[in-house]
Amino acid sequence: MNIDEKKLKMMSTIGMRASFGLSCLEFVKKFPDMMILTSDVSTSAGLDRFRKQFSSNYLDVGISEQNLIGIATGLSSENFKVITTTFAPFQTLRCCEQIKVNLGYMKSKVLLVGLASGLNLGNLGFTHCSIEEIGVLRSIPNIQIVVPADCLELNKVVESYLSQGNTSVYIRLTGGSNIKQIYNKDYNFEIGKAEILKDGLDVCFFACGVILGNVLEASEVLEKKYKIKSKVVNMHTIKPIDKKAIIDSSKNKLHVCVEEHNIIGGLASAISEVKVEENISVKQINLGVDDEYIKSGSYKYMLDYFNLSPDKIVKNVINALK
């Protein structure tokens, strides 16, 4: 798919969900055997134009997520390139058994796209905020998990699945509109290989999703105000985790994991497991949802409450280094 800088800027403005729908309009021309299945979310997933223009490649099963996975499995068995999408908690936890049996156990190949994951839907409460699904899906074999940092990376993940994917993949979409553009058009994405966005020997940030924008901002403040140089690693793939990227950061003084997920079971847990295996003793702090459900609130409020705003990230790093 041809993407120029103007289009990248536009995609960052409209955000992950709308960009997903926009990209699918182009992908279906290259992959005519692509099928998109939704659970009554064509507008929310940016797929209204796709639904109208490519009706034979689109199927809405209604609010019936478990059935969504069953139908997707059947289409996959007939060699269609199948993408399913709905809001993250319903795409994953509501049909967890079907994902386990049909995708993990049966090794069917389906691309699952979880809309508005993390804390973006904070005003709707934790029925719609999804902070558990990485921990759940990590424990199911034969499913890869990717959390794109911006719209270009999302585009690259979908294209990777359509062109060469050999297993099921869960894509976790975070953030709303007006997200930070992390990559330029020449970015080469590789599943399972982390990307170093910035290098430094003091602190090493491991992060995934649009929260990387806040991490980069915090990193700049740490360097300019406190003379603390940070390494920033985009751990876009949670499973399979890039062990080499973690091992290569063993000389940093502090590891900081930043994620819009429960600090139990997500990126922080995956990194800690590697550090135990490799006997890496670098101190680690985990910034994310601290294993609790709170009252509903705006996205900005939720990020600040859980120490995910740039100033809270800086404050926690300074305290940890003391």
Side-chain angles (χ1 to χ4, degrees):
M1 181 177 173
N2 186 29
I3 300 179
D4 56 24
E5 291 301 323
K6 184 178 179 181
K7 195 167 189 177
L8 277 177
K9 186 176 180 180
M10 180 270 291
M11 292 170 75
S12 296
T13 300
I14 63 177
M16 290 279 196
R17 286 192 270 165
S19 293
F20 167 68
L22 197 65
S23 296
C24 288
L25 283 170
E26 299 299 321
F27 284 136
V28 72
K29 298 171 186 176
K30 183 178 179 181
F31 304 100
D33 55 348
M34 177 177 120
M35 284 292 297
I36 297 181
L37 279 63
T38 70
S39 289
D40 197 27
V41 294
S42 63
T43 301
S44 300
L47 290 167
D48 275 340
R49 279 196 289 171
F50 186 96
R51 173 176 58 84
K52 294 171 183 176
Q53 294 179 30
F54 301 98
S55 57
S56 60
N57 298 83
Y58 181 89
L59 180 63
D60 191 333
V61 306
I63 304 175
S64 177
E65 291 82 1
Q66 294 155 328
N67 197 32
L68 177 75
I69 300 301
I71 296 171
T73 302
L75 288 169
S76 176
S77 71
E78 295 298 319
N79 297 316
F80 286 95
K81 298 181 186 298
V82 187
I83 300 174
T84 67
T85 187
T86 184
F87 287 101
F90 316 133
Q91 173 70 101
T92 55
L93 302 188
R94 183 170 289 175
C95 46
C96 183
E97 182 182 357
Q98 285 70 30
I99 292 173
K100 170 191 170 181
V101 176
N102 293 358
L103 306 188
Y105 189 37
M106 293 171 58
K107 298 183 180 179
S108 300
K109 189 178 80 169
V110 174
L111 178 67
L112 311 165
V113 180
L115 305 176
S117 190
L119 300 167
N120 185 49
L121 296 182
N123 284 322
L124 299 177
F126 278 91
T127 55
H128 285 64
C129 289
S130 191
I131 63 163
E132 315 89 354
E133 87 273 31
I134 294 177
V136 172
L137 295 183
R138 277 185 67 223
S139 64
I140 300 176
N142 303 314
I143 297 179
Q144 297 177 332
I145 303 170
V146 184
V147 190
D150 67 3
C151 297
L152 178 60
E153 192 163 61
L154 164 61
N155 186 280
K156 296 285 186 179
V157 182
V158 176
E159 186 173 30
S160 174
Y161 163 81
L162 292 171
S163 60
Q164 59 190 18
N166 55 16
T167 189
S168 286
V169 180
Y170 172 59
I171 301 180
R172 184 181 202 246
L173 304 189
T174 54
S177 57
N178 296 307
I179 63 175
K180 183 178 178 61
Q181 180 185 327
I182 305 294
Y183 292 106
N184 296 316
K185 61 181 182 179
D186 58 349
Y187 170 49
N188 292 316
F189 169 83
E190 183 179 338
I191 197 163
K193 184 178 180 180
E195 285 284 326
I196 299 174
L197 303 180
K198 187 178 177 183
D199 217 345
L201 288 175
D202 295 322
V203 176
C204 178
F205 286 102
F206 295 106
C208 58
V210 301
I211 204 67
L212 265 162
N214 286 5
V215 170
L216 287 168
E217 187 176 332
S219 175
E220 292 297 324
V221 173
L222 286 168
E223 186 168 352
K224 290 178 180 178
K225 189 173 181 179
Y226 299 98
K227 309 301 180 186
I228 296 170
K229 294 186 177 181
S230 306
K231 183 177 187 177
V232 179
V233 183
N234 175 14
M235 298 295 286
H236 51 68
T237 306
I238 310 298
K239 184 182 180 183
I241 196 79
D242 187 345
K243 293 185 178 182
K244 184 178 183 300
I246 300 167
I247 294 169
D248 288 347
S249 300
S250 60
K251 293 182 180 180
N252 288 89
K253 300 173 184 176
L254 177 69
H255 287 169
V256 183
C257 297
V258 187
E259 59 185 323
E260 283 185 60
H261 189 275
N262 195 331
I263 57 174
I264 297 173
L267 174 63
S269 293
I271 289 173
S272 297
E273 290 162 14
V274 174
K275 290 170 70 174
V276 169
E277 291 174 7
E278 301 294 334
N279 196 29
I280 297 171
S281 58
V282 179
K283 180 180 178 180
Q284 177 175 319
I285 61 171
N286 303 325
L287 304 181
V289 179
D290 196 15
D291 197 32
E292 64 175 325
Y293 296 122
I294 63 169
K295 65 181 181 180
S296 60
S298 69
Y299 188 35
K300 183 178 179 181
Y301 167 80
M302 301 290 258
L303 291 179
D304 190 67
Y305 181 91
F306 288 115
N307 295 307
L308 295 171
S309 58
D311 59 323
K312 289 289 184 70
I313 294 172
V314 169
K315 182 178 178 180
N316 277 272
V317 169
I318 295 301
N319 288 339
L321 289 174
K322 287 179 180 178

